[in-house]
């Protein structure tokens, strides 16, 4: 198990779902951006670093039928499966590090809230973008939420890389066209605030 995997397994083994700073009872901005990216309920959607997030619950309630959640932590995914119950059988749960993952299919929508910003090494960001290019079909859309330029410098004891839409677009490269950027102030369970940015991109045709 990698150091990264060990860290996140420990986080989810020792903290409850609502005891982490990134907890959202209602992932409203992510849901809005996914609907804007592809309102077709048959669209293939993957949530990168989804962990125990409640986004998949919301997508199931909305009627989306082809969902996948990828995370380093089996503990996090198990927590989500237990919470969702029998409907969890309709989701593809993937325990993997996105930087080494080998996608077995293509997706219409790639969503990532607060996974990419933990990749502080250029080689890890390059590996992420390689997976992005191979997993998102031409015309598909990518939604990435990170800490904004004025957001925290660390999360869960780890350093992060902060972005705005322009700097994130530069990381993803010319294969992805920036469509929009939205800012969000996230309130943690203990009522502190964190500045996020969410950027939506379209995968250009080769």
């Amino acid at each position: 198990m990698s150091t990264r995997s060990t860290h996140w397994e420990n986080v989810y083994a020792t903290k409850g779902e609502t005891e982490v700073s990134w907890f959202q009872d209602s992932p409203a901005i992510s849901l809005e951006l996914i609907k804007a990216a592809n309102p077709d309920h048959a669209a293939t959607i993957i949530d990168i670093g989804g962990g125990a997030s409640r986004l998949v619950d919301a997508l199931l309630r909305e009627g989306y039928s082809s969902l996948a959640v990828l995370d380093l932590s089996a503990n996090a995914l198990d927590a989500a499966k237990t919470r969702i119950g029998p409907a969890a059988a309709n989701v593809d749960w993937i325990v993997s590090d996105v930087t080494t993952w080998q996608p077995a299919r293509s997706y219409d929508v790639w969503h990532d809230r607060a996974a990419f910003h933990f990749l502080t090494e250029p080689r890890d960001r390059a590996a992420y973008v390689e997976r992005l290019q191979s997993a998102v079909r031409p015309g598909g859309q990518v939604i990435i939420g990170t800490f904004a330029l004025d957001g925290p410098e660390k999360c869960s004891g780890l350093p992060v890389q902060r972005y705005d839409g322009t700097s994130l677009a530069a990381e993803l490269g010319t294969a992805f066209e920036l469509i929009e950027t939205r800012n969000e102030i996230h309130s943690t369970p203990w009522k502190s605030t964190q500045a996020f940015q969410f950027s939506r991109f379209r995968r250009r045709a080769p």
Side-chain angles (χ1 to χ4, degrees), residues 115-129:
F116 184 74
H117 70 193
F118 283 107
L119 303 180
T120 57
E121 294 294 331
R123 65 177 180 273
D124 288 333
R125 295 196 295 273
Y128 180 107
V129 173

Side-chain angles (χ1 to χ4, degrees), residues 19-89:
E19 296 175 322
V20 293
S21 64
W22 53 91
F23 172 74
Q24 287 181 306
D25 184 55
S26 177
I29 191 169
S30 293
L31 195 58
E32 289 172 9
L33 287 167
I34 288 170
K35 288 179 179 179
N38 197 324
D40 183 353
H41 285 176
T44 52
I45 302 171
I46 186 164
D47 188 16
I48 300 296
S53 163
R54 298 190 177 190
L55 176 61
V56 67
D57 311 46
L59 291 170
L60 286 167
R61 286 195 300 270
E62 290 286 335
Y64 286 93
S65 58
S66 187
L67 304 176
V69 182
L70 179 147
D71 201 89
L72 282 162
S73 171
N75 286 327
L77 297 184
D78 286 344
K81 291 179 203 176
T82 299
R83 184 185 67 239
I84 293 168

Side-chain angles (χ1 to χ4, degrees), residues 37-38 44 105-110 131-142 174-177 179 201-206:
N38 197 324
T44 52
R105 64 176 303 179
S106 60
Y107 297 91
D108 297 308
V109 180
W110 171 295
R131 273 71 190 173
L132 192 61
Q133 291 174 338
S134 64
V136 178
R137 66 167 182 81
Q141 298 202 17
V142 176
T174 57
F176 298 92
E177 172 193 5
I179 299 170
F201 301 83
R202 180 181 293 109
R203 172 81 155 95
R204 290 190 168 102

Side-chain angles (χ1 to χ4, degrees), residues 85-104:
N90 300 319
V91 178
D92 183 16
W93 303 95
I94 305 167
V95 180
S96 185
D97 184 329
V98 67
T99 65
T100 57
W101 172 53
Q102 298 300 319

